[in-house]
Amino acid sequence: MHMIDAIGYAAKHSFSRLKRHEFQREDPKEHEVVIDVMFCGVCHSDVHQVKNEWSNTIYPCMPGHEVVGRVASMGPAVQQFSMGDIVAVGCMIDSCRTCEPCRKGEENYCEGPNSWLATYNGPMVPASKAPTGDNMYGRDNTFGGYSNVLVVHEDFVIPIPGKLSPAAAAPIVCAGVTTYSPMKEWGVGPGHRVGIVGYGGLGHMATKIALALGAEVTVFSSSTEKVAELVAAGQVAVHEGDLERLAALASGFDFILSTIPEKHDVNPFVLLLKHDGVLCVVGALEPLAPVNNQAIAFQRRRVSGSLIGSIAETKEVLAFCAEHDIAPEIEIIPIQQINDAYGKVQSGEVRYRYVIDMSTLMTDDVS
Ligand SMILES: [Zn+2]
Ligand SMILES: [Zn+2]
């Protein structure tokens, strides 16, 4: 079989830095699209995955699931795209397509034996953990968008509305849809009081989307600096440690979205929900501090979680952002700065999303 020579940046171990990595991708099958990668967003999950913080990383690990590029070639049966189209690839590149969530267009909750195939790090459920002991996708590891080329089935390739700049569109396909999906699920709309907890890559997109949906938004952050910046810009923002302000806001919110990317205590935010209000956690994929069910039961409050978004929702949020003229605040970096960027993602210094200009791969000093 002919293969495509590819280059990217990958980590060999949990303790190693990302470095140039040469590899091969398979030629496109009938329905697959070859995408020359232009930009790739740097998601907090990339950092978790590279450092094996979810204990499931397959090495070498080449992250990147906020990918935007140009269609460079394709299999003979591709119908949805043409050469030169600007397209995106988010967190998923395939799913079982037959389970109930897949049939409902909710591939992100695929219940197939290996769940969905992630853009990097292989299937969500590896063969060793699958009930069948097999891997239906035939690929244990997958290499993501920190590379010059991707090959993806057309059903998982997403067109980008012409109004959006390709670099700014990249974070919308993870950070954007991850926050849009639960707001849509829980019916956030005009007049709703919405709280956004954490103001990083996800939080800043969530705030823009909630405002565009017509909600009244309060941001909660542990950063004094970010609270001051937001207030200066006319946004209602409260420091998480300001117990007086929190007490005054008790039972006031219809919906609260927690975007904090690590273990945290949701109890102070549960108290801010109205009767029947919903708190949804999207940032942390790990056990949280115990939740006080008295506070939940007494007002029939709901605590929930949500995982990325479907392909249909990804198309929808891109159209929504184009229509409402919203885009993430990004800083474009060369791939050579990726390891420093990871440090700044972890420390919260990033304002608010790094996007890698993948053309800089070509300027690597390989001597
Ligand atoms: Zn992500
Ligand atoms: Zn499925």
Side-chain angles (χ1 to χ4, degrees):
M1 183 190 292
H2 186 258
M3 304 286 275
I4 300 170
D5 288 325
I7 37 173
Y9 263 53
K12 288 222 167 83
H13 307 283
S14 59
F15 48 83
S16 43
R17 289 162 69 84
L18 291 153
K19 280 194 192 130
R20 185 182 173 91
H21 180 75
E22 297 184 8
F23 65 107
Q24 292 188 310
R25 294 200 190 270
E26 283 184 19
D27 264 353
K29 297 184 187 73
E30 278 215 306
H31 277 281
E32 287 182 338
V33 178
V34 180
I35 301 161
D36 281 345
V37 180
M38 298 158 68
F39 296 102
C40 187
V42 179
C43 179
H44 208 121
S45 319
D46 302 350
V47 182
H48 284 310
Q49 197 73 68
V50 161
K51 295 180 185 295
N52 198 22
E53 286 168 359
W54 294 322
S55 308
N56 68 344
T57 305
I58 306 162
Y59 295 97
C61 176
M62 185 179 294
H65 60 207
E66 295 184 347
V67 190
V68 170
R70 193 177 276 115
V71 174
S73 66
M74 58 191 113
V78 169
Q79 305 207 320
Q80 303 168 53
F81 298 97
S82 311
M83 295 286 286
D85 283 358
I86 305 293
V87 295
V89 176
C91 301
M92 302 178 283
I93 53 171
D94 209 350
S95 73
C96 89
R97 297 163 186 253
T98 57
C99 71
E100 201 182 321
C102 280
R103 288 201 311 270
K104 281 181 12 196
E106 295 187 324
E107 314 84 1
N108 49 320
Y109 299 108
C110 175
E111 292 171 350
N114 303 99
S115 192
W116 41 275
L117 181 62
T119 305
Y120 66 88
N121 207 55
M124 291 300 278
V125 178
S128 61
K129 295 206 168 134
T132 54
D134 294 328
N135 176 357
M136 66 184 293
Y137 302 110
R139 286 189 274 174
D140 294 323
N141 199 2
T142 45
F143 289 153
Y146 292 11
S147 62
N148 62 336
V149 61
L150 270 190
V151 182
V152 179
H153 191 286
E154 63 174 330
D155 291 349
F156 286 77
V157 176
I158 299 149
I160 302 263
K163 235 182 117 187
L164 294 173
S165 99
I172 298 175
V173 303
C174 174
V177 76
T178 297
T179 55
Y180 177 81
S181 174
M183 284 196 261
K184 201 193 138 195
E185 174 65 25
W186 297 106
V188 169
H192 286 171
R193 290 192 67 195
V194 169
I196 305 295
V197 183
Y199 200 79
L202 262 62
H204 96 289
M205 267 317 281
T207 302
K208 286 171 191 269
I209 291 168
L211 288 168
L213 285 167
E216 220 179 278
V217 179
T218 303
V219 173
F220 299 92
S221 168
S222 59
S223 157
T224 309
E225 210 183 320
K226 284 183 184 173
V227 168
E229 283 171 20
L230 285 163
V231 169
Q235 171 61 52
V236 181
V238 175
H239 195 282
E240 282 174 38
D242 189 342
L243 300 180
E244 236 169 85
R245 285 285 296 283
L246 291 189
L249 293 170
S251 303
F253 288 84
D254 299 282
F255 182 79
I256 297 178
L257 189 73
S258 169
T259 69
I260 298 172
E262 56 220 10
K263 182 173 176 165
H264 59 285
D265 183 6
V266 296
N267 289 293
F269 303 105
V270 168
L271 297 175
L272 305 188
L273 292 172
K274 290 181 182 170
H275 164 61
D276 276 345
V278 177
L279 180 132
C280 182
V281 178
V282 290
L285 298 175
E286 57 214 288
L288 298 180
V291 178
N292 176 4
N293 194 50
Q294 192 178 78
I296 295 173
F298 278 23
Q299 294 190 266
R300 200 168 60 189
R301 292 157 164 154
R302 293 115 196 243
V303 175
S304 68
S306 179
L307 186 67
I308 60 167
S310 66
I311 294 296
E313 284 170 330
T314 310
K315 291 176 181 167
E316 205 176 297
V317 69
L318 283 162
F320 181 85
C321 289
E323 183 193 335
H324 293 271
D325 236 341
I326 52 182
E329 285 160 47
I330 59 168
E331 185 182 329
I332 296 179
I333 58 166
I335 187 72
Q336 292 81 4
Q337 279 177 20
I338 189 65
N339 293 295
D340 297 337
Y342 272 26
K344 289 179 183 164
V345 168
Q346 282 182 297
S347 65
E349 277 172 78
V350 53
R351 291 285 195 281
Y352 282 93
R353 201 60 145 190
Y354 291 122
V355 173
I356 311 163
D357 173 355
M358 292 311 308
S359 71
T360 56
L361 259 180
M362 301 305 149
T363 62
D364 247 358
D365 179 9
V366 286
S367 56

